[in-house]
Amino acid sequence: MNCEILCVGTELLLGNTVNTDAADLSDMLSGLGVNVFWHTVVGDNPARLAEAVEIAKKRADLIITTGGLGPTYDDLTKNVLAECFGRKMEYHPEEGEALKAWFAKNAANRFTQNNMQQAYLPERCTVLHNDWGTAPGCAFEEGGVHVIMLPGPPNECVPMFRYRAVPHIKSLSDETIFSHQIRVFGIGESAVEDRFRDKMERMANPTLATYAKFGEVMLRVTAKAHTEAEAEAMCAPVVEMVRRELGSAVYGVDVDSLEALCLDLLKEKGLTFATAESLTGGLIGARFTALAGASAVYKGGAVTYCNEVKAHMLGIDRDMIESKGAVSYETAAAMAKGARLAVNADLALSATGLAGPDGDGVHPVGTVFVGLADRDNVWVRQLKLGTRRARVRQLAANHAFDMLRRYLQGLPIIEG
Amino acid sequence: MNCEILCVGTELLLGNTVNTDAADLSDMLSGLGVNVFWHTVVGDNPARLAEAVEIAKKRADLIITTGGLGPTYDDLTKNVLAECFGRKMEYHPEEGEALKAWFAKNAANRFTQNNMQQAYLPERCTVLHNDWGTAPGCAFEEGGVHVIMLPGPPNECVPMFRYRAVPHIKSLSDETIFSHQIRVFGIGESAVEDRFRDKMERMANPTLATYAKFGEVMLRVTAKAHTEAEAEAMCAPVVEMVRRELGSAVYGVDVDSLEALCLDLLKEKGLTFATAESLTGGLIGARFTALAGASAVYKGGAVTYCNEVKAHMLGIDRDMIESKGAVSYETAAAMAKGARLAVNADLALSATGLAGPDGDGVHPVGTVFVGLADRDNVWVRQLKLGTRRARVRQLAANHAFDMLRRYLQGLPIIEG
């Protein structure tokens, strides 16, 4: 199936918003064995949108739109698509009621009549109810072309695709596509590619592909068969081969993230942890507590953005900080030990370093120390994570969670 | 001038790479008075690229391509474009020499003959020399359509555009666009729309448009004129009108975010702050420390994800927490006061509540208390932020920063 992703939004054409939807949907579509051959972006302009739809109709058999489903007058994707495919718009009472209920519950003061626009969808469509926002999506088929419309905001578009569009797309093909995502941390993409290039080029079904994910590598094994069981059986040996090749750098298969894996392992083992964050300023805690159920294993900790707080909240010896420096092996170790005791947790993670742009005159920007403490020991990883502030901070958090999962998986903690 | 940005690269269609080039170029183009009406992405496929070029020729008078200028067999943008515009490729000796010199200097061992491909460009073009990589870009005009080709890697594409393409484009356009971004917090997009719909529909130049930004609304005022000064003067009265209509919900014009505004105001006033985060688990600190220079005003704080940490790190009376509850006005107030003292800061923010999915049997999910303390007072906002965990947490952080900026701007703190 050949797919065009058609994103609607003037903010994309003004460079106000980066088009992450197109990347995220493309990524997930390739996992479904759908060929994405075109991304098109047009603004909130009915004529140009209609032109774009006419072009897409001729070359694609699946058109996925993002954006323009909201309540405002420039949200015109539904109306234009309906017209291009010769369908009327009709009111969907169940969506109307859901909208009224949502506003009554969440934002009674913000309800305005134009919000009800969102309950109008093309006639004879499959409604894709939106549990992540107010604007429902929809799907229909006309003249052999399948259309799926999704909202634009990434925090709605991505779950809407995963939980609403994917089942619909799967139902369109008599072949089943099954894929495993192998998550790897600690090896670069090109190194992984070098390891598997020959195999990847030879393989047809199942296929193996690598993707660079912010500071990680993801390998996707995809098989096509008539039943999911068949397809899954075809994937299994490839997953095993990759595990053998990459060893403990493979942190999981079909897991969401390093922190999600840590949450599962901590629950399993009945262990709790704490955090002491300098460089990351709360990012480790924020990423972990983004996971539902985090409170079962995470007790909290300190954001020690200045030395005085390191000393006061974690009982770290000021002189040691002065002599060794806030960015040092010793301080990272003391932060982890101090946080574990202060919070009375089984384990603790710490991060200190220089995210930049300014250095400290001693270490280059990107110098980072990440620590892990348990009752008896402390481990510290020293890292050089480049010069881009956002990347340094995220990678430092990744390393903290990698140390934690290695501890919980009984693997060596410092390597990788 | 109407522009299409045509990005070439299979990695974009696989979702392996996010298309930041299109956003960065669009942003800079709007500042040049160029209307970007289309983004198109195709893979490294000559037939589909040629089709896309034929479509672009008909609708755009400026086509900017990114990607496919490199030395490998799948770098075919130049050849396909040359063919579509009926031009031969020709060797540019000065670029050939530059390439040989570059490799001699930087990567003698990696020089292979196919690198010389990069010195072949369409005949009669303006060469755009690449000081940030090896592949030169080029520009030409054919039948009233202007073509500019740039390399794909963002660290080459962006400077190549800024320092090579911009001077070329300025010579082609006689208009300038100027725009202001008005940032609003505390009013929904559709409510803002209702306020301005009639005006927005009547306005042609300048224009006014609204965009929903996760929990916020952004209004963009855009004017076209012959000089930037003229355009700016045309925007000014619209900005004033919006400020009058929305009052203190307008938190800034051309500022990046609530937290960025807080950073500027805190520096200006020489004040520091601390955080005590329960619900948000470090998100307030993480968002603030994402800003370069945060350490000048942010001292740190506590992530109190369980009551024992609230008591231990912030010296909050356990009995009070037990009697009033962890999710209460009193606890939010005590957290803010406690964090300010523990960290010895001028101000402190706190957040406690239920992000879900599980409630506490007392309050519904989405119940949130956000606190702000200074030396003498404490303010607490009680909120109902819905049932979506990620949204509840982000909105709670937004409210914390909104209270802080209102304090620093001398506005009432609880409203909004």
Side-chain angles (χ1 to χ4, degrees):
Chain A
M1 187 149 50
N2 297 342
C3 173
E4 175 156 356
I5 298 175
L6 177 50
C7 304
V8 185
T10 301
E11 70 279 12
L12 294 165
L13 295 179
L14 287 167
N16 187 31
T17 308
V18 177
N19 191 356
T20 55
D21 286 343
D24 292 336
L25 267 48
S26 295
D27 181 1
M28 294 186 278
L29 282 160
S30 69
L32 296 171
V34 174
N35 305 315
V36 178
F37 284 147
W38 308 272
H39 292 173
T40 303
V41 179
V42 292
D44 307 316
N45 174 291
R48 282 189 291 272
L49 174 54
E51 279 173 30
V53 172
E54 292 308 325
I55 292 168
K57 273 166 76 170
K58 293 190 187 70
R59 62 189 181 185
D61 29 45
L62 172 61
I63 301 172
I64 300 177
T65 70
T66 70
L69 303 186
T72 71
Y73 83 96
D74 60 359
D75 288 310
L76 27 82
T77 304
K78 286 180 302 189
N79 307 55
V80 170
L81 270 281
E83 207 172 317
C84 290
F85 285 92
R87 296 198 170 202
K88 292 195 186 59
M89 295 293 279
E90 71 187 3
Y91 178 70
H92 288 251
E94 73 288 2
E95 287 298 322
E97 292 315 308
L99 278 164
K100 287 178 192 147
W102 188 91
F103 276 93
K105 185 169 182 199
N106 299 293
N109 55 322
R110 298 192 189 167
F111 181 80
T112 52
Q113 203 47 44
N114 53 345
N115 277 293
M116 296 311 289
Q117 265 189 47
Q118 298 174 103
Y120 287 82
L121 295 163
E123 57 189 346
R124 306 190 316 279
C125 71
T126 306
V127 177
L128 306 178
H129 181 69
N130 185 345
D131 280 328
W132 303 271
T134 57
C138 67
F140 63 81
E141 182 273 334
E142 192 71 61
V145 180
H146 296 275
V147 176
I148 297 173
M149 294 188 238
L150 301 172
N155 58 310
E156 299 181 30
C157 183
V158 171
M160 280 288 283
F161 182 83
R162 180 172 295 133
Y163 300 108
R164 300 286 185 269
V166 166
H168 181 79
I169 293 167
K170 282 185 169 170
S171 73
L172 303 178
S173 155
D174 58 349
E175 255 188 339
T176 305
I177 285 99
F178 183 89
S179 69
H180 278 304
Q181 299 194 352
I182 306 170
R183 307 295 296 259
V184 177
F185 183 76
I187 306 180
E189 188 191 17
S190 48
V192 172
E193 252 186 34
D194 287 348
R195 282 283 226 335
F196 300 114
R197 181 173 292 104
D198 302 352
K199 288 196 180 68
M200 288 194 287
E201 282 168 358
R202 279 201 313 276
M203 294 166 70
N205 184 26
T207 59
L208 178 65
T210 67
Y211 304 87
K213 297 256 153 195
F214 203 67
E216 297 188 19
V217 179
M218 192 266 282
L219 291 98
R220 184 185 279 115
V221 185
T222 309
K224 288 188 189 186
H226 290 298
T227 71
E228 182 155 320
E230 266 180 81
E232 184 165 9
M234 292 161 71
C235 292
V238 182
V239 173
E240 274 325 297
M241 180 275 293
V242 172
R243 278 187 179 281
R244 269 198 313 279
E245 283 281 322
L246 301 182
S248 67
V250 173
Y251 69 81
V253 175
D254 302 328
V255 296
D256 288 342
S257 63
L258 282 164
E259 52 266 45
L261 173 64
C262 289
L263 174 57
D264 294 341
L265 294 171
L266 287 162
K267 277 188 187 163
E268 198 180 296
K269 295 183 170 356
L271 295 172
T272 61
F273 82 107
T275 51
E277 306 192 54
S278 178
L279 164 84
T280 44
L283 184 61
I284 296 172
R287 274 176 51 174
F288 194 81
T289 55
L291 304 168
S295 57
V297 299
Y298 178 60
K299 299 184 77 174
V303 179
T304 57
Y305 221 59
C306 62
N307 292 345
E308 150 188 18
V309 178
K310 290 184 181 72
H312 177 85
M313 284 197 163
L314 302 178
I316 303 177
D317 175 25
R318 278 174 166 288
D319 303 341
M320 188 283 284
I321 300 178
E322 296 308 326
S323 60
K324 301 295 183 178
V327 178
S328 65
Y329 182 104
E330 292 77 3
T331 298
M335 285 169 65
K337 285 189 214 159
R340 200 186 71 76
L341 293 170
V343 171
N344 184 29
D346 300 306
L347 302 163
L349 295 171
S350 68
T352 181
L354 295 167
D358 306 326
D360 64 354
V362 183
H363 307 83
V365 169
T367 304
V368 171
F369 295 86
V370 179
L372 166 65
D374 71 2
R375 224 162 274 286
D376 311 309
N377 303 292
V378 59
W379 297 264
V380 176
R381 240 183 231 182
Q382 175 167 5
L383 303 157
K384 294 225 178 305
L385 300 179
T387 58
R388 299 208 306 282
R389 186 178 178 91
R391 183 177 164 80
V392 171
R393 287 159 45 89
Q394 291 290 352
L395 288 182
N398 289 357
H399 276 278
F401 290 123
D402 184 57
M403 289 173 75
L404 181 55
R405 69 95 186 177
R406 284 174 171 274
Y407 178 92
L408 296 165
Q409 290 176 330
L411 297 166
I413 289 160
I414 298 306
E415 80 175 34
Chain B
M1 184 151 49
N2 298 341
C3 173
E4 175 156 356
I5 298 175
L6 177 50
C7 303
V8 184
T10 301
E11 71 280 8
L12 295 164
L13 295 180
L14 289 170
N16 198 3
T17 307
V18 177
N19 192 355
T20 55
D21 286 344
D24 293 336
L25 268 47
S26 296
D27 186 16
M28 293 187 279
L29 282 160
S30 72
L32 296 170
V34 174
N35 304 314
V36 178
F37 284 147
W38 308 272
H39 292 173
T40 302
V41 179
V42 293
D44 307 315
N45 174 291
R48 282 190 290 270
L49 175 54
E51 278 173 30
V53 172
E54 292 307 325
I55 292 167
K57 273 166 77 172
K58 292 190 190 73
R59 61 189 183 186
D61 24 52
L62 171 62
I63 301 172
I64 300 178
T65 70
T66 69
L69 303 185
T72 69
Y73 74 95
D74 61 359
D75 287 310
L76 27 81
T77 304
K78 286 180 303 188
N79 306 54
V80 170
L81 270 281
E83 208 172 317
C84 291
F85 286 92
R87 295 198 170 202
K88 293 194 184 59
M89 297 292 281
E90 70 186 4
Y91 178 70
H92 288 252
E94 75 287 0
E95 287 298 322
E97 293 315 308
L99 277 164
K100 287 178 191 148
W102 189 90
F103 276 95
K105 185 173 179 209
N106 301 294
N109 53 325
R110 287 197 282 109
F111 181 81
T112 51
Q113 203 49 43
N114 57 345
N115 278 292
M116 297 311 287
Q117 265 191 47
Q118 299 173 102
Y120 286 83
L121 295 162
E123 57 189 346
R124 307 189 315 280
C125 71
T126 305
V127 176
L128 306 178
H129 180 70
N130 185 345
D131 281 328
W132 304 269
T134 58
C138 68
F140 63 82
E141 182 274 332
E142 191 71 60
V145 180
H146 296 275
V147 176
I148 297 175
M149 293 188 240
L150 302 171
N155 58 323
E156 297 181 33
C157 183
V158 171
M160 281 287 283
F161 183 82
R162 181 171 292 131
Y163 300 108
R164 300 288 184 265
V166 166
H168 182 79
I169 294 166
K170 277 189 170 164
S171 71
L172 308 174
S173 173
D174 66 341
E175 266 189 331
T176 303
I177 277 191
F178 183 88
S179 70
H180 278 305
Q181 301 192 352
I182 306 170
R183 306 296 296 262
V184 177
F185 181 76
I187 307 180
E189 186 189 15
S190 46
V192 171
E193 267 268 334
D194 280 356
R195 283 283 226 336
F196 300 114
R197 176 180 291 98
D198 301 351
K199 287 195 180 69
M200 288 195 286
E201 282 169 353
R202 278 202 314 276
M203 294 167 72
N205 183 27
T207 59
L208 179 65
T210 66
Y211 304 96
K213 294 236 151 203
F214 204 64
E216 296 189 19
V217 178
M218 192 267 283
L219 293 98
R220 183 187 274 102
V221 185
T222 308
K224 274 189 188 185
H226 291 296
T227 71
E228 182 160 321
E230 265 180 85
E232 184 166 7
M234 291 161 72
C235 291
V238 182
V239 173
E240 273 327 295
M241 180 274 292
V242 172
R243 278 188 179 281
R244 268 197 316 277
E245 283 282 321
L246 301 182
S248 67
V250 173
Y251 69 81
V253 175
D254 302 327
V255 297
D256 289 340
S257 63
L258 281 163
E259 53 265 45
L261 174 64
C262 289
L263 175 56
D264 293 342
L265 294 170
L266 287 162
K267 277 187 185 163
E268 195 181 301
K269 294 181 164 15
L271 296 172
T272 62
F273 82 107
T275 51
E277 305 193 54
S278 179
L279 164 84
T280 45
L283 184 62
I284 296 172
R287 273 175 52 174
F288 194 80
T289 56
L291 304 168
S295 57
V297 298
Y298 179 60
K299 299 184 79 174
V303 179
T304 58
Y305 220 58
C306 62
N307 291 345
E308 119 194 46
V309 178
K310 289 183 181 73
H312 177 85
M313 284 198 162
L314 301 179
I316 302 176
D317 176 24
R318 278 175 163 289
D319 304 339
M320 187 283 283
I321 300 178
E322 296 307 325
S323 60
K324 301 295 184 179
V327 177
S328 65
Y329 182 104
E330 292 78 4
T331 299
M335 285 169 66
K337 285 190 213 158
R340 198 186 71 77
L341 293 170
V343 171
N344 184 29
D346 300 307
L347 302 163
L349 295 171
S350 68
T352 182
L354 295 168
D358 307 327
D360 64 353
V362 182
H363 307 83
V365 169
T367 304
V368 171
F369 295 86
V370 178
L372 165 65
D374 72 1
R375 224 161 275 284
D376 312 307
N377 304 293
V378 58
W379 298 263
V380 176
R381 235 183 233 183
Q382 174 167 7
L383 302 158
K384 290 219 180 308
L385 299 179
T387 57
R388 298 199 301 282
R389 186 177 179 91
R391 185 165 183 275
V392 170
R393 287 158 45 86
Q394 291 289 350
L395 289 183
N398 288 357
H399 276 279
F401 290 123
D402 184 57
M403 289 172 76
L404 182 55
R405 70 96 186 176
R406 284 172 172 272
Y407 177 93
L408 297 164
Q409 289 175 330
L411 296 166
I413 289 161
I414 298 305
E415 79 175 38

